[in-house]
Amino acid sequence: MAGGAWLQLQVALLLLVALIFSTLSPSEAEAEAAAATSTNLRRRQEVQSLLRRLNKPPLATIQSPDGDIIDCVHISKQPAFDHPLLKNHTIQMRPSIQPSGMHGEAARPFTQTWNQNGEKCPDNTVPIRRTKEEDVMRATSVATFGKKTHGSHHPRLVGVTDGHHYGVASATGDANYYGTKDLAGGNWWLQVQGKYVGYWPSSIFTHLQTGVADTVEWGGEVNSPRSTTPMGSGHFPKEGFGKATYSKAIQVVDSSNKLKSPNGVSLIAPLPNCYNVMTGSSSTTSWGTYIYYGGSGCP
């Protein structure tokens, strides 16, 4: 190529580069930057507004060794009462009835990181982990924070999204379920080691409003964009007792308000090489029907 032609090509390329970098005028670039700043500011304002709604004024505060802050909120001021269907709700301190077979179950002490040194919230308050700005910022939007959107990850797991991974045992062998060590009486109670933690009022549900379910599930769930997060202890079910996470003495409440072992237990593990679940039963030990579940995730 002659020298003159090469020079003309260089000038043409130079002009092309100049055109590329001059597509945005200084005023347009400033406007774009201002718009981005405005969007970030608006999102942070939305986050702060949400935090003010979620984090109720505490009567006491406990600093957890793991960095969490536990607010002791008066029982009548807890965030659950922001729900419009609970506006005039009367708090139920204990279930009105219990399934036969649960009466007299001994309460056993259990601790979490924040109260392992004996700290406790005052009477008539409930311990609530304080939601932080970074918690909300991890969500795709302020509106979706703490929520699941409907999807079709598995036909038996309605309401899940991509990024939710499971190792679950499911029971559908009986016509209806009135609890799974949840207690009959309308509200859906949670009991841990013989202690009543709280309940989900039946009024906030649709299908479960009658106090009856057609499917019960136990196991683990991981919410992560990639399947690398461990589930449970991080060990697979086949590693057994001492390593894998387990639930034992699994029972359901039938229409006669009696506890019984579940019928027709099936397993749901879409990614068994990442997370898995296995079930078994023992009539000679206190384990009854049990499951092992979990896994290390996939690389």
Side-chain angles (χ1 to χ4, degrees):
M1 180 180 291
W6 176 246
L7 180 59
Q8 288 177 344
L9 179 59
Q10 287 182 313
V11 171
L13 289 174
L14 180 61
L15 289 174
L16 179 60
V17 172
L19 285 172
I20 292 174
F21 282 96
S22 65
T23 53
L24 283 179
S25 66
S27 59
E28 290 174 324
E30 291 172 1
E32 190 174 89
T37 301
S38 177
T39 299
N40 290 334
L41 178 60
R42 185 168 58 253
R43 178 174 169 81
R44 289 194 174 276
Q45 289 174 337
E46 292 173 350
V47 169
Q48 292 303 318
S49 177
L50 176 63
L51 292 177
R52 285 192 294 270
R53 295 198 305 271
L54 292 178
N55 295 323
K56 305 300 182 182
L59 298 182
T61 297
I62 299 172
Q63 180 68 56
S64 177
D66 60 6
D68 285 343
I69 298 175
I70 306 300
D71 289 328
C72 302
V73 178
H74 193 275
I75 192 171
S76 64
K77 302 296 183 182
Q78 55 185 299
F81 290 109
D82 291 342
H83 197 293
L85 295 178
L86 300 181
K87 184 176 181 180
N88 298 313
H89 182 77
T90 300
I91 299 175
Q92 187 177 359
M93 299 305 294
R94 293 180 65 85
S96 54
I97 58 175
Q98 297 185 97
S100 59
M102 285 192 69
H103 298 286
E105 184 174 347
R108 302 184 299 279
F110 65 96
T111 60
Q112 294 178 298
T113 303
W114 67 271
N115 67 351
Q116 63 185 3
N117 295 322
E119 297 88 348
K120 60 181 297 185
C121 282
D123 292 341
N124 298 316
T125 66
V126 291
I128 302 176
R129 177 187 176 275
R130 185 179 298 179
T131 304
K132 302 176 183 178
E133 180 176 336
E134 52 264 35
D135 298 328
V136 182
M137 295 298 286
R138 282 195 293 267
T140 54
S141 70
V142 174
T144 59
F145 174 72
K147 299 178 181 178
K148 289 182 181 179
T149 56
H150 292 284
S152 56
H153 205 280
H154 191 284
R156 295 270 296 282
L157 296 171
V158 179
V160 302
T161 63
D162 289 339
H164 290 259
H165 309 289
Y166 296 88
V168 171
S170 173
T172 57
D174 296 286
N176 291 306
Y177 299 97
Y178 297 78
T180 169
K181 278 216 173 179
D182 295 339
L183 305 171
N187 295 329
W188 294 87
W189 281 83
L190 173 64
Q191 186 191 66
V192 178
Q193 295 184 355
K195 294 183 179 180
Y196 298 113
V197 176
Y199 62 92
W200 291 271
S202 59
S203 60
I204 67 174
F205 294 106
T206 51
H207 179 66
L208 297 176
Q209 195 171 78
T210 60
V212 181
D214 54 21
T215 304
V216 181
E217 296 171 349
W218 307 265
E221 174 183 357
V222 168
N223 180 10
S224 176
R226 295 181 295 175
S227 55
T228 56
T229 304
M231 177 188 292
S233 64
H235 291 274
F236 284 92
K238 64 182 180 181
E239 298 180 67
F241 184 76
K243 290 188 176 182
T245 303
Y246 65 88
S247 293
K248 66 177 184 177
I250 291 174
Q251 295 176 297
V252 296
V253 182
D254 64 13
S255 59
S256 301
N257 200 35
K258 294 181 179 179
L259 284 168
K260 53 172 283 187
S261 296
N263 291 326
V265 177
S266 59
L267 305 180
I268 304 173
L271 300 175
N273 292 327
C274 307
Y275 314 105
N276 212 342
V277 58
M278 59 181 288
T279 185
S281 62
S282 173
S283 59
T284 59
T285 69
S286 61
W287 278 60
T289 300
Y290 61 87
I291 62 169
Y292 284 104
Y293 63 92
S296 59
C298 290

